[in-house]
Amino acid sequence: MHDQPSVSELVQAVKNFVDHSAMPELKGRAAFHARVASNVLATILRDLDAREANDGAEYERLKALLPDSDGKTRQALNEELQGRIRSGELTIASAALMEHLKKTAIAQLKVDQPKYSGLATALED
Amino acid sequence: MSEKQEFDSRLQAVLRRVYGEQIALASANRLSGGASQETWLLTLSGTGAPDTLILRRAPEGMEATDDSRAIGLPNEARLIRKAAATGVAVPEVVHVLEPDEGVGEGFIMSRVEGETIARRILRDDEYAKAREHLPAQCGRALAGIHRIDGSDVPRIRESTGLAQVEQYEQTYQEIGVCRPIFDLAIVWLKENAPKPLAPLLVHGDFRLGNIMVDEQGLAAVLDWELAHYGDPREDIGWMCTNSWRFGQSEKRLGGFGDVEPLLEAYAEAGGAEFTPRDIDWWDMLGSMKWGIMCMGMYETFRSGADASVERAAIGRRVSETEMDLVNLLEGQRHA
């Protein structure tokens, strides 16, 4: 498939339209939703950039954290992690667990809401 | 007559019953609200009545809100009157709508001047004094709220801290997503739940956005629909939850102050004595609840019930609370 313009370029073009053409013409609830839409387009751009690397890093961490992880998908390992947390086998006492969850949350938040205050708090430590 | 004219005319009849035939309804403008709960600004002309009033209503057939925890507008009005009698700053309820008045369910109250938008309260210079006053004012207001005897108000349920953990855990499991940070927080909250206190009437949504603030500070406590019997620390912890600090994380209380002056004023006004650490569990409960509420709001998009971009986007705010939960759990690990 061709990618000129690429998906990111197309999303950026739509974002430009929302920000510079549509939003100034809108009022009230429609203007609010246009602002939300613009933020969503920015999230999409960050997601497109970061997802592959984030998923890969998360997968590697899960494989290191959980035994017998060979051949299991990232989703399957996350479900296994969930099960071990629910059963009390893995708790906040596990430094490896906490480090994994913190890295996962930071990566997700950098895509979803990079300006959120809790992200700065996490990065301070 | 159009539907709006019909509505205005019925509303004017209600107002004339309260204030006399010499007054008229000049305008009724919808301010905000979802499909089931509306807020209207009423402008009146004639003598013997305020120039403006606020109407809170649910249209006929919409009385049952989508939130099963809500107590309903008539009960909210009853509680606001009780809060006033206890000395809590609230709007004055001037009339509770009757079914035969034909304008739905709800009540009319005084319009309290001030600001509810958190970012303005936290950042604008004109609220600098208010931010200084607010912690102690909130402490005194909460002590008053927690003293209200709501025994003759129907539909106020009991919901303790641990019951809320279990309720939100159930919601999370029904949604069926795999977000292990929530599982870890739920396990920790269950294992570290504080000894329950005798249930008191709590506001249930006490935070910036739901209080009216003027230049001197707290002007009125609004939005009583989630009131219930529960642990008084819930109201304090909710205001401390990082999601309700609106970006000003370093100020634990609502982004405007420290929790200590609130706790001091709360005890001085007759509330129990708590330390900041007593609030930690409730602070974490708040992040867990808000995260699962965001998941629930996104579910209304995913299920097709609400197609708005706002409902879709809120699903990408769950990670805010995941980050807060990780930060709080880390803190507990080193505690």
Side-chain angles (χ1 to χ4, degrees):
Chain A
M1 276 179 78
H2 298 292
D3 69 345
Q4 287 187 339
S6 69
V7 174
S8 293
E9 285 175 312
L10 288 169
V11 174
Q12 184 63 56
V14 176
K15 187 172 184 310
N16 293 345
F17 163 74
V18 172
D19 291 349
H20 307 304
S21 302
M23 206 149 18
E25 303 287 327
L26 296 170
K27 281 189 198 144
R29 228 163 152 71
F32 167 70
H33 277 122
R35 192 174 307 280
V36 176
S38 172
N39 290 338
V40 165
L41 293 167
T43 304
I44 293 172
L45 289 170
R46 291 189 296 269
D47 195 316
L48 287 168
D49 273 349
R51 179 166 291 272
E52 203 180 322
N54 284 349
D55 282 354
E58 183 188 358
Y59 193 27
E60 291 308 314
R61 286 196 303 273
L62 285 166
K63 284 197 275 193
L65 189 62
L66 297 168
D68 309 321
S69 55
D70 282 358
K72 291 178 185 163
T73 63
R74 190 173 52 88
Q75 176 65 20
L77 291 177
N78 262 319
E79 282 164 12
E80 199 173 313
L81 181 67
Q82 181 178 50
R84 283 170 190 264
I85 290 170
R86 284 187 186 173
S87 71
E89 200 177 319
L90 277 171
T91 69
I92 65 167
S94 162
L97 173 69
M98 295 308 286
E99 195 190 327
H100 163 69
L101 293 178
K102 185 170 178 173
K103 284 184 171 161
T104 309
I106 288 173
Q108 182 72 44
L109 199 49
K110 278 184 173 173
V111 170
D112 290 352
Q113 309 291 341
K115 290 182 191 152
Y116 185 65
S117 63
L119 179 60
T121 307
L123 294 173
E124 267 168 28
D125 302 339
Chain B
M1 224 191 276
S2 77
E3 211 175 304
K4 176 69 166 67
Q5 284 169 324
E6 177 74 39
F7 174 71
D8 285 1
S9 130
R10 288 179 182 177
L11 201 51
Q12 175 166 281
V14 172
L15 291 165
R16 284 184 168 166
R17 210 166 305 158
V18 178
Y19 293 107
E21 293 296 317
Q22 80 288 355
I23 65 111
L25 176 70
S27 68
N29 292 310
R30 174 124 180 234
L31 294 177
S32 67
S36 61
Q37 294 229 337
E38 305 171 355
T39 303
W40 294 71
L41 175 64
L42 313 181
T43 316
L44 285 69
S45 60
T47 54
D51 294 338
T52 53
L53 287 166
I54 297 288
L55 165 69
R56 297 252 296 140
R57 88 185 266 263
E60 261 168 286
M62 300 288 282
E63 291 88 346
T65 64
D66 47 5
D67 192 330
S68 60
R69 298 169 303 157
I71 60 174
L73 289 165
N75 292 329
E76 211 181 306
R78 289 187 182 102
L79 269 189
I80 293 172
R81 282 178 166 160
K82 282 173 175 288
T86 317
V88 179
V90 282
E92 183 194 357
V93 175
V94 299
H95 181 73
V96 180
L97 298 174
E98 300 285 343
D100 64 355
E101 291 169 335
V103 279
E105 191 174 65
F107 58 93
I108 298 168
M109 63 184 188
S110 64
R111 181 191 187 199
V112 180
E113 299 281 340
E115 183 60 77
T116 58
I117 296 171
R119 286 180 192 278
R120 293 200 187 137
I121 296 166
L122 292 182
R123 288 171 179 83
D124 288 5
D125 288 341
E126 60 178 306
Y127 298 109
K129 260 252 137 25
R131 291 192 288 271
E132 277 174 41
H133 293 164
L134 268 175
Q137 289 170 334
C138 288
R140 285 192 287 275
L142 284 177
I145 291 168
H146 297 164
R147 250 198 329 268
I148 295 173
D149 174 8
S151 51
D152 55 344
V153 182
R155 276 185 61 186
I156 302 187
R157 302 191 307 180
E158 184 172 326
S159 174
T160 61
L162 200 53
Q164 290 184 20
V165 176
E166 281 159 5
Q167 178 203 333
Y168 279 89
E169 178 184 32
Q170 195 189 338
T171 304
Y172 167 67
Q173 292 188 356
E174 280 165 8
I175 292 170
V177 290
C178 179
R179 303 192 74 142
I181 292 168
F182 282 91
D183 296 282
L184 189 65
I186 288 166
V187 168
W188 188 88
L189 286 165
K190 280 185 176 173
E191 287 186 350
N192 294 278
K195 213 166 124 249
L197 300 172
L200 300 173
L201 188 102
V202 299
H203 180 276
D205 204 3
F206 191 80
R207 61 170 177 84
L208 287 190
N210 293 336
I211 58 175
M212 186 64 78
V213 173
D214 63 20
E215 289 179 13
Q216 294 306 311
L218 182 65
V221 180
L222 311 171
D223 296 306
W224 291 72
E225 64 262 29
L226 299 181
H228 58 271
Y229 293 107
D231 195 300
R233 292 168 290 187
E234 181 192 335
D235 276 340
I236 303 170
W238 189 234
M239 197 174 236
C240 290
T241 297
N242 195 38
S243 302
W244 308 128
R245 294 182 212 166
F246 298 93
Q248 315 268 65
S249 270
E250 67 288 356
K251 299 220 164 91
R252 187 181 182 191
L253 186 67
F256 56 79
D258 295 323
V259 74
E260 286 85 350
L262 179 147
L263 296 175
E264 221 167 277
Y266 182 78
E268 264 171 38
E273 291 198 12
F274 299 124
T275 67
R277 286 201 61 178
D278 293 333
I279 308 306
D280 291 357
W281 190 88
W282 303 89
D283 189 332
M284 187 164 346
L285 175 70
S287 289
M288 185 274 275
K289 279 164 63 174
W290 177 239
I292 292 170
M293 282 185 218
C294 288
M295 288 181 203
M297 285 187 270
Y298 158 60
E299 277 299 300
T300 65
F301 174 83
R302 208 177 60 95
S303 68
D306 185 335
S308 74
V309 64
E310 190 249 339
R311 286 289 136 142
I314 203 155
R316 289 282 183 133
R317 295 193 59 187
V318 176
S319 44
E320 297 179 351
T321 58
E322 281 179 324
M323 192 76 262
D324 289 336
L325 289 171
V326 166
N327 290 339
L328 292 169
L329 288 165
E330 272 286 328
Q332 289 300 330
R333 194 165 167 258
H334 300 300

